[in-house]
Amino acid sequence: MTTTDSATARAAVPAWTRGAVVWLRLSVLGALLAAAGNIAGLVNAGGVYGKETSAFIDQAIAQDAVNLAVVSPAIVVLAVLARRGSLRAYLMWLGGLAFTTYNYVIYTMSVHVGPLFLVWIAVLGLSAFSLIGGLAALDAGAVGDRFGHAPQRLAGWFLIAVAALFTLLWLKDIVPAILDGRAPQSVSELALPSSPVHVLDLSFFLPAAFATGVLLLRGRPWSYTTAPGLLVFLALTGLPIIVTPFVAEARGDEPAWAVLPPIGVITIACLAVLARLTHGATPPRRSDEVRTPA
């Protein structure tokens, strides 16, 4: 069998194991539980976030609104489409789970213990295990073969550029503060000991984005399993940042309108790069389409 024949054969096999249905189901449960918590947080923001600073409350309300209106519905819809055999939906579903896991680490470790604390822990656990299980269920070789003709260089350089940009931005906030013996501005305005965004980005997300970008440029199969999810993660991350100034204006705080243009451009660029990358994926033949059991 030639290399081409081998790649064609692998492209016809399922891109993930049938055990993934467990993680798809758990993710839907987590999304529904998260939505219930978001509703409670929006209805009773004072009772849930009342011990936080006003700037923190603005961000929390924006996050709840985006989670409820966009993230939880997207996870449910993508899980349904993935169970029907859509590889694109499956890879984007992983991005929604990564976003939820990221944000519920912040909920559970940066907000004072309150009425939703156990709900947030449950959502974090369901999302994190679904993300890990969903990644483990993938056949990287089959995914790579389906993306063999996708325009990976644009996505690769975009992820590298975003990783480098935000690394420099966070270090610009952190390093001078450490040298001056003070807390970074992003930490002091939220009255936190450290910024969970700095921690999560610099230790996990930005290295993952950079590594995925490099591997995409080299055409490595595993990069195709993580690149769409990282682009979804980036796009979703921009939404609460965009919503926060409007929440601040409504609550009588000083809105940071200056963040809207750059974050808006990055968010739109993420969606454009995601669409271009996933559009280049080769669909399986109809008779070979993956369908997980109900």
Side-chain angles (χ1 to χ4, degrees), residues 11 40 56 61 107 109 117 119 142 197 235 245:
F56 197 124
I61 292 174
Y107 273 107
M109 299 200 177
F117 184 65
V119 174
V197 172

Side-chain angles (χ1 to χ4, degrees), residues 5-294:
D5 291 338
S6 177
T8 302
R10 289 196 304 271
V13 304
W16 61 87
T17 66
R18 292 189 178 276
V21 69
V22 174
W23 310 117
L24 292 166
R25 288 174 175 171
L26 286 179
S27 73
V28 170
L29 176 59
L32 295 176
L33 191 58
N38 299 147
I39 293 172
L42 292 170
V43 170
N44 185 26
V48 176
Y49 305 115
K51 296 180 181 180
E52 317 308 327
T53 66
S54 188
F56 197 124
I57 295 173
D58 293 340
Q59 294 180 23
I61 292 174
Q63 189 69 58
D64 277 340
V66 170
N67 286 347
L68 179 61
V70 179
V71 182
S72 289
I75 289 175
V76 173
V77 170
L78 290 171
V80 171
L81 293 176
R83 287 184 62 181
R84 294 179 178 176
S86 171
L87 175 59
R88 295 170 187 168
Y90 191 99
L91 298 178
M92 292 170 66
W93 166 75
L94 291 173
L97 291 178
F99 178 81
T100 302
T101 300
Y102 178 103
N103 282 286
Y104 278 84
V105 168
I106 297 175
Y107 273 107
T108 53
M109 299 200 177
S110 297
V111 180
H112 287 79
V113 175
L116 294 179
F117 184 65
L118 293 178
V119 174
W120 294 338
I121 289 177
V123 174
L124 175 59
L126 289 167
S127 301
F129 278 108
S130 296
L131 174 61
I132 295 168
L135 281 169
L138 281 170
D139 181 335
V143 174
D145 290 331
R146 293 272 296 278
F147 277 86
H149 299 290
Q152 73 270 25
R153 295 191 65 82
L154 173 63
W157 282 118
F158 182 79
L159 287 171
I160 290 171
V162 168
L165 172 63
F166 280 95
T167 296
L168 291 174
L169 284 174
W170 296 161
L171 292 179
K172 182 180 178 182
D173 190 24
I174 296 169
V175 173
I178 291 176
L179 295 177
D180 293 342
R182 57 177 175 82
Q185 181 180 350
S186 59
V187 172
S188 58
E189 69 180 8
L190 301 180
L192 296 173
S194 64
S195 168
V197 172
H198 289 165
V199 173
L200 292 170
D201 280 2
L202 292 174
S203 59
F204 294 106
F205 171 67
L206 296 177
F210 182 85
T212 296
V214 171
L215 292 176
L216 268 179
L217 295 179
R218 295 181 178 180
R220 301 296 174 82
W222 257 109
S223 62
Y224 298 110
T225 68
T226 55
L230 287 168
L231 291 168
V232 168
F233 177 98
L234 272 170
L236 291 177
T237 297
L239 297 182
I241 299 174
I242 292 171
V243 172
T244 296
F246 296 95
V247 175
E249 176 79 7
R251 295 185 66 247
D253 293 332
E254 185 66 28
W257 298 115
V259 304
L260 295 184
I263 296 300
V265 168
I266 292 174
T267 301
I268 293 171
C270 286
L271 295 173
V273 173
L274 173 66
R276 183 169 172 77
L277 177 65
T278 57
H279 183 72
T282 303
R285 295 191 302 271
R286 187 171 184 83
S287 59
D288 295 319
E289 232 173 38
V290 180
R291 293 190 181 274
T292 56

